[in-house]
Amino acid sequence: MLSAYGSAEEAIASPELVVNLRKLREQVELDFLVEDIPLLIKESKDGIGRVGQIVKDLKDFSRVDSSQEWQMANLQQGMDSTLNIVANEIKYKADVVKEYTPLPEVECLPSQINQVIMNLIVNAAQAIGPERGTITLRNGVEGDTVWIEVADNGSGIPPPETLQKIFDPFFTTKPIGQGTGLGLSLSYGIVKKHNGEITVRSEVGVGTTFRVELPVRQMKQAS
């Protein structure tokens, strides 16, 4: 419509009116707005899409639409939702590599398992030094057990006796004020509650890998 009005300027008999219209067009920066508004709308729609995805990921992460009951859950979906939740924590520190294989649904408390995954990913990001590193997420199936690994190529955990204490409450290798020492301890408790295992292997100068193993079905469920 604006283009049609612009074309009609040539038919205006009054030179004074034409000058005033052109001056007004320049004042409101009409040509710029005609180009910019579609871009702004597109960016707004993209932003709304991102907000919608974040809300979905938060719901998947916390399972706010369900009670704390044991249920069958897609752990791979939980890993991806958790990655999106902690994206700010890792985007300037590391590239994320996914080495996924198809998993069966696992009987679990999904929000608690997502919490474990988040703790491991955040720990991996914090273990990486000043240079940009890599965090690798893997998963797989072995019989009636599924496993998840979160690996970083950070500095590793020295010495061996430190590795033995890594799941102890309040134990941390981080500087004072940069960690409570509870993340891995809580993760250990959650995994044990699921009748699973959480282990760690580390090599100085190479990196650290945490592995979580969970039974596909719970024989005996804890409350």
Side-chain angles (χ1 to χ4, degrees):
M1 193 58 148
L2 288 171
S3 178
Y5 277 123
S7 300
E9 277 186 9
E10 298 176 5
I12 296 174
S14 169
E16 183 179 344
L17 181 55
V18 171
V19 169
N20 287 338
L21 284 173
R22 289 176 178 170
K23 188 180 297 183
L24 184 60
R25 178 193 291 154
E26 291 175 1
Q27 286 177 352
V28 301
E29 298 181 321
L30 184 60
D31 292 340
F32 169 75
L33 290 177
V34 167
E35 290 183 13
D36 197 46
I37 286 175
L39 294 175
L40 289 175
I41 292 174
K42 180 182 182 301
E43 289 173 0
S44 297
K45 290 176 69 175
D46 291 345
I48 290 169
R50 286 195 297 272
V51 169
Q53 185 62 47
I54 289 171
V55 171
K56 178 181 179 299
D57 290 332
L58 283 168
K59 288 181 68 178
D60 289 342
F61 177 82
S62 62
R63 293 298 174 114
V64 294
D65 53 355
S66 62
S67 58
Q68 276 288 317
E69 295 180 355
W70 293 83
Q71 56 190 279
M72 304 304 291
N74 184 326
L75 293 190
Q76 196 160 290
Q77 179 182 338
M79 293 169 74
D80 285 337
S81 295
T82 304
L83 262 180
N84 288 336
I85 298 301
V86 299
N88 259 5
E89 182 77 24
I90 60 179
K91 67 180 179 180
Y92 299 117
K93 296 182 177 180
D95 298 312
V96 176
V97 176
K98 299 178 183 178
E99 297 178 1
Y100 289 171
T101 59
L103 294 180
E105 289 197 332
V106 174
E107 189 174 10
C108 63
L109 298 168
S111 62
Q112 292 192 13
I113 297 301
N114 288 343
Q115 182 68 49
V116 171
I117 296 169
M118 183 179 78
N119 288 343
L120 297 181
I121 293 174
V122 170
N123 269 8
Q126 292 174 344
I128 292 171
E131 294 185 8
R132 190 172 185 83
T134 302
I135 296 174
T136 304
L137 303 182
R138 308 183 186 97
N139 60 27
V141 187
E142 292 180 1
D144 296 329
T145 301
V146 301
W147 57 267
I148 296 169
E149 286 188 348
V150 178
D152 66 70
N153 63 345
S155 58
I157 305 173
E161 53 266 28
T162 300
L163 209 57
Q164 296 171 5
K165 299 177 182 178
I166 202 76
F167 298 111
D168 290 353
F170 303 110
F171 180 83
T172 179
T173 59
K174 298 171 189 172
I176 294 173
Q178 292 188 20
T180 62
L182 289 175
L184 289 176
S185 177
L186 291 172
S187 298
Y188 181 88
I190 290 171
V191 173
K192 287 299 182 182
K193 182 178 183 178
H194 284 74
N195 299 304
E197 296 288 338
I198 180 169
T199 55
V200 58
R201 60 184 187 271
S202 185
E203 185 176 343
V204 176
V206 177
T208 303
T209 299
F210 283 90
R211 182 182 177 100
V212 175
E213 299 179 8
L214 298 170
V216 174
R217 297 298 298 266
Q218 293 290 322
M219 300 300 292
K220 181 181 179 182
Q221 297 170 355
S223 59

